[in-house]
Amino acid sequence: MRLTKTFLAVSAAFCSTIVLAYTPGIYTASVAGQNGPVAVEVQTSADKILSVKVSDQKETQNIGTHAVEQLPAKIVEAQSADVPAVSGASVTSKAIKTAVQECLDKASGKKTAASPLKDGTYEAKAYGNNGWLNVKVVIKDHKISEIQTPGQRETKFLGDTAIREIGKDIIDYQTLNVDNIAGATVTSTALKTAVGEAIEKAGGNIANFQKPVPQKIKKIDGVQKQEVDLVVVGAGGAGLSAAVTAKDLGAKNVLIVEKMPVVGGNTLRCASAFNAADPERQKALPMTDTLKDAVVKAINEKPANEEHKKLMADVKAKYEAYLKSGSKTLFDCPEWHALQTYNGGDKVGHIPLIRTYANNVLDTLHWMQSKGSPVMDRVSQGAGALWQRTHQLDAPAGLGLVDPLYQDAVKQGVNFKLGTRVTDLVLDKSGKVIGITAEDKVGTKYQILSKNGVILATGGYSQNKEMRQKSAPHLTPDMVSTNQPGATGDGITIATRHGADTTGMNYVQVYPLATPGTGTLQGRARKMSGLDDVIDVNKNGERFVKEDARRDEFVAAIKKQPGAVCYDINDSSIVKPLNSFNEDVETLVQIGRIYKADTLADLAKQLGMPADKLEATVAEFNKMVEAKNDPKFGRKLFDRQIVKAPFYATPRAPSIHHTMGGLEITPKAQVVDKNGKIIPGLYAAGEVTGGIHGSNRLGGNATADVLTFGRIAAKSALGKN
């Protein structure tokens, strides 16, 4: 009897240690990630996590996807959701871990405590696109009743749209599981992250704020039909320019169809560099012997063809007249701008298009000023611009170009259909383009007929990896881009379906001085986009290229440096509290995007490079500025020395930037077919076209081209050209 009791006691003690941790099965959960909901499936046995799978996600390729690929196995190995986040993908990592923990809680029978939020105002912040996004969340009656973002500087049309739309959904549906605004993912994520922190401060559990937002737009059966005077496809710089010009010329019913939920396209993201020969503003710039040599060399080389010969002769005549005048100020004219554009593109561009561009671009600049664009008086030389004709606007990024056009478009009654993707062209029996078909995000179909044809202003294809790699296989698929996610070559695909010809599709430009890792243009210390007062050094503190080189030469030089990165070095004379992208420079210093020091030696120490090398490099450059001569690399661009402390260094690396190839057009922006014949009713402007920039676009030529040919396309469509 005693043995039996002992046995039972031991057995009971042993059995009490065997606890069924989970109810075997497959459990699912969804949590807001970087770009939208991240859904997971977790399978458990009675005592183990058998598998973890991310079943649905929209996370950024090569950033958030690293967490998607790595974390499930780590969680299974650790038998816990409490594993380290994947470096560089903290938001996605947190979403996966939170979702997995929710599944494990379900499997173990735990119910997430739905503690009521404590009334009050709670503050939190997360770094957005242009700086810290400070958020105040007001909790009333235990619910989120208000979301404030005091002092936010996120990009107009992008970040402010995300703040407004996502904030409204969070309040309306009491959830963080809200899709990001396409094109504004950084701001979208920052807002949701900060609101999530505020919820936790209010005593809430993030897991209780993950219900999905219901579909707010219902699909309409059939095809919705509409007739307009002119339809423009794309709401970037070219599309807005075309629509506003059409209104200026008297068109009544103008419609812009844009697949993204916001206006602006790549123009909104640009540095607003705008090239134009501008005698009034350029008269403050000197004409050095080095610059004279550049002109003389260009007008005396062997011409590539008769058009080139004629263009050279025209520049020569203008230059001789300039010399005869005795002027000491910078020489420039549309013909010289055109010749540099042609030569800079390796003489494969189409000179009639280039001449049209150069002859009209100053008029475009003046037109933009009449619409309210704040053009600065100082003219500089942007990266890869080759000449001091780069204008800049006194506004963040490309806002000074987009906002005036958008406001004018709204004022004149241009209609917008956003979040709607054009699927095809509509042609009549004669082959004339008379409209488009389109589809919105819920599948409602549209047919829009246009009295004056269709203008394609859909941008390039840098974000279409299949098209990009087919055109330029030397580019690796994992390369990042400066461009907005809508740049997927839709206009090219649609037009070529109907016989349109293309040109230069193998020419894809890589920008040399983007933010390492993300590929964005932001994050620099200097206010101006030009390189007049900047040098670039490698990790050894040495210059390795002439900073006024062509962009492709600059990129090739950077790729040969240690780590394939370089550093913009400048002093404080060209630094303002906010840079040209509206970012707070001091904040960028604090978070490690920019380096700042009172001495060059300290700056070098922060960068991990030899102090004596950096000091010697800057001293050498300062002597070059005095002599207006660079004996080492042949730089022609000199303005001020780097002498005023504090000193700044900005890490820079190449990023895919511009696709020079696209639809073949005439100087009147008419699209032509493979037989060289004009496709009636079809026009194109901007990066969707090819032939203007050849194999290498000069820095500052893009916005000028986009806006100029947008105007030309509208004039042609309305018979005013």
Side-chain angles (χ1 to χ4, degrees):
M1 186 69 179
R2 182 179 300 172
L3 180 62
T4 303
K5 287 182 178 179
T6 302
F7 174 78
L8 291 175
V10 171
S11 298
F14 177 75
C15 289
S16 68
T17 64
I18 302 176
V19 179
L20 297 180
Y22 309 114
T23 299
I26 296 176
Y27 300 88
T28 62
S30 177
V31 171
Q34 177 79 27
N35 299 337
V38 175
V40 303
E41 290 182 0
V42 178
Q43 183 176 11
T44 68
S45 65
D47 60 347
K48 291 182 67 175
I49 302 172
L50 298 177
S51 67
V52 174
K53 175 185 176 184
V54 178
S55 57
D56 190 29
Q57 52 86 21
K58 303 174 184 176
E59 302 305 88
T60 306
Q61 190 70 26
N62 296 317
I63 301 177
T65 53
H66 288 322
V68 172
E69 294 160 359
Q70 298 174 28
L71 276 187
K74 290 182 178 180
I75 290 171
V76 173
E77 182 181 3
Q79 288 294 299
S80 170
D82 187 16
V83 296
V86 173
S87 178
S90 58
V91 174
T92 306
S93 297
K94 183 176 180 180
I96 293 171
K97 294 196 294 178
T98 302
V100 169
Q101 187 59 56
E102 186 176 337
C103 291
L104 296 178
D105 288 345
K106 291 177 182 176
S108 62
K110 294 180 183 177
K111 291 186 177 180
T112 305
S115 303
L117 298 177
K118 299 173 185 176
D119 286 0
T121 300
Y122 301 88
E123 298 183 14
K125 68 178 182 178
Y127 198 81
N129 199 60
N130 299 337
W132 288 108
L133 184 62
N134 295 297
V135 172
K136 291 183 178 181
V137 177
V138 179
I139 307 297
K140 184 178 180 181
D141 298 330
H142 312 299
K143 290 185 177 181
I144 304 169
S145 66
E146 188 178 352
I147 298 173
Q148 303 169 2
T149 54
Q152 67 88 5
R153 295 194 316 278
E154 299 301 277
T155 307
K156 188 174 181 179
F157 301 118
L158 288 175
D160 64 345
T161 300
I163 290 170
R164 182 179 63 254
E165 298 297 325
I166 291 177
K168 184 178 184 301
D169 280 350
I170 291 174
I171 293 170
D172 288 349
Y173 302 102
Q174 297 294 299
T175 182
L176 293 173
N177 212 341
V178 180
D179 280 344
N180 285 353
I181 299 298
T185 56
V186 174
T187 305
S188 301
T189 302
L191 179 67
K192 291 188 288 187
T193 299
V195 172
E197 289 184 11
I199 287 172
E200 290 177 331
K201 288 181 179 180
N205 188 321
I206 296 297
N208 292 324
F209 291 84
Q210 299 299 333
K211 62 183 179 182
V213 173
Q215 184 62 258
K216 291 176 285 186
I217 303 173
K218 293 184 178 180
K219 179 182 177 181
I220 302 174
D221 293 332
V223 178
Q224 307 304 299
K225 296 187 177 182
Q226 184 179 355
E227 293 186 12
V228 298
D229 288 337
L230 179 66
V231 64
V232 179
V233 186
L240 290 169
S241 173
V244 170
T245 299
K247 276 293 186 178
D248 288 347
L249 295 173
K252 293 182 179 179
N253 191 350
V254 178
L255 174 67
I256 294 180
V257 181
E258 166 62 56
K259 74 174 181 180
M260 300 297 284
V262 292
V263 303
N266 273 344
T267 307
L268 188 60
R269 292 169 176 251
C270 76
S272 74
F274 189 109
N275 286 346
D278 185 349
E280 183 61 29
R281 289 187 174 91
Q282 289 172 306
K283 67 184 180 182
L285 302 170
M287 186 68 178
T288 65
D289 289 340
T290 304
L291 296 175
K292 288 180 180 179
D293 290 344
V295 178
V296 171
K297 180 180 178 181
I299 61 179
N300 286 292
E301 68 173 339
K302 183 180 179 180
N305 50 57
E306 286 302 312
E307 287 180 328
H308 185 206
K309 182 179 180 180
K310 178 65 170 62
L311 182 56
M312 290 167 60
D314 289 347
V315 174
K316 185 175 182 179
K318 289 287 184 75
Y319 186 59
E320 288 176 346
Y322 161 82
L323 293 176
K324 189 175 181 180
S325 73
S327 174
K328 302 296 182 183
T329 62
L330 186 73
F331 167 74
D332 206 0
C333 60
E335 292 81 4
W336 177 228
H337 186 182
L339 183 59
Q340 285 196 301
T341 298
Y342 181 66
N343 290 347
D346 296 318
K347 302 182 178 67
V348 295
H350 302 178
I351 288 179
L353 287 178
I354 297 170
R355 278 187 180 265
T356 299
Y357 156 66
N359 288 337
N360 287 277
V361 69
L362 183 58
D363 183 56
T364 299
L365 185 67
H366 291 157
W367 178 72
M368 289 299 299
Q369 285 182 269
S370 75
K371 297 297 182 183
S373 287
V375 181
M376 299 171 71
D377 286 334
R378 185 187 178 201
V379 176
S380 64
Q381 182 174 319
L386 302 186
W387 207 250
Q388 288 174 284
R389 62 171 70 93
T390 305
H391 301 70
Q392 192 163 334
L393 281 72
D394 191 12
L399 190 62
L401 300 169
V402 171
D403 195 31
L405 289 176
Y406 176 76
Q407 299 302 335
D408 194 86
V410 172
K411 182 179 178 181
Q412 293 201 62
V414 172
N415 295 308
F416 290 82
K417 190 179 288 293
L418 304 180
T420 303
R421 182 175 62 88
V422 172
T423 55
D424 208 349
L425 300 172
V426 177
L427 283 69
D428 65 13
K429 292 181 180 179
S430 70
K432 180 180 180 180
V433 176
I434 59 170
I436 60 167
T437 59
E439 185 175 322
D440 65 22
K441 66 179 183 179
V442 297
T444 299
K445 300 181 185 300
Y446 301 88
Q447 183 189 74
I448 303 168
L449 301 183
S450 176
K451 177 182 175 182
N452 293 290
V454 173
I455 297 176
L456 295 176
T458 52
Y461 51 90
S462 63
Q463 295 287 22
N464 183 332
K465 291 188 178 181
E466 182 178 351
M467 183 181 288
R468 190 181 83 195
Q469 296 308 124
K470 182 179 180 181
S471 301
H474 65 282
L475 302 173
T476 58
D478 62 336
M479 286 186 70
V480 291
S481 173
T482 65
N483 294 169
Q484 57 100 6
T488 53
D490 296 10
I492 297 171
T493 300
I494 292 168
T496 53
R497 190 182 299 154
H498 297 280
D501 200 9
T502 60
T503 181
M505 289 293 287
N506 56 318
Y507 303 135
V508 178
Q509 184 176 77
V510 179
Y511 183 72
L513 301 175
T515 301
T518 65
T520 61
L521 294 174
Q522 295 108 302
R524 63 189 180 210
R526 52 194 165 95
K527 176 73 171 178
M528 296 293 290
S529 66
L531 292 168
D532 308 51
D533 317 299
V534 177
I535 61 172
D536 283 281
V537 303
N538 58 22
K539 288 186 175 183
N540 297 323
E542 299 171 323
R543 288 179 67 228
F544 56 90
V545 69
K546 58 181 182 180
E547 289 80 1
D548 51 5
R550 287 173 28 152
R551 286 183 171 178
D552 53 351
E553 295 173 8
F554 211 147
V555 168
I558 293 173
K559 287 184 176 180
K560 294 178 181 178
Q561 305 312 305
V565 298
C566 67
Y567 301 89
D568 269 4
I569 304 294
N570 59 270
D571 69 11
S572 56
S573 65
I574 59 171
V575 176
K576 303 293 183 184
L578 300 179
N579 66 18
S580 56
F581 290 91
N582 207 33
E583 297 170 291
D584 186 284
V585 174
E586 285 302 311
T587 299
L588 292 174
V589 171
Q590 292 168 14
I591 65 174
R593 297 265 298 276
I594 294 174
Y595 298 87
K596 174 186 176 183
D598 289 329
T599 66
L600 290 170
D602 188 27
L603 189 66
K605 182 179 179 181
Q606 292 183 41
L607 298 172
M609 63 178 57
D612 58 338
K613 288 286 183 68
L614 181 61
E615 289 174 329
T617 298
V618 172
E620 183 180 49
F621 171 73
N622 289 339
K623 289 180 180 179
M624 292 178 195
V625 175
E626 288 182 1
K628 304 297 182 189
N629 181 48
D630 176 8
K632 184 176 289 186
F633 298 107
R635 170 173 170 155
K636 301 185 294 293
L637 183 64
F638 301 101
D639 189 5
R640 288 172 289 194
Q641 296 177 328
I642 298 175
V643 294
K644 185 180 178 181
F647 302 96
Y648 294 84
T650 305
R652 303 278 84 181
S655 177
I656 292 174
H657 188 51
H658 192 99
T659 50
M660 276 82 69
L663 298 175
E664 181 92 54
I665 60 170
T666 71
K668 291 186 177 182
Q670 301 156 300
V671 178
V672 299
D673 65 17
K674 294 183 182 300
N675 297 315
K677 294 183 178 180
I678 293 169
I679 299 176
L682 186 60
Y683 309 88
E687 202 175 345
V688 70
T689 69
I692 297 172
H693 306 293
S695 63
N696 173 69
R697 178 178 65 79
L698 302 191
N701 267 7
T703 53
D705 153 35
V706 160
L707 297 169
T708 296
F709 271 94
R711 298 186 72 208
I712 290 171
K715 292 175 183 178
S716 296
L718 296 175
K720 305 289 186 179
N721 211 345

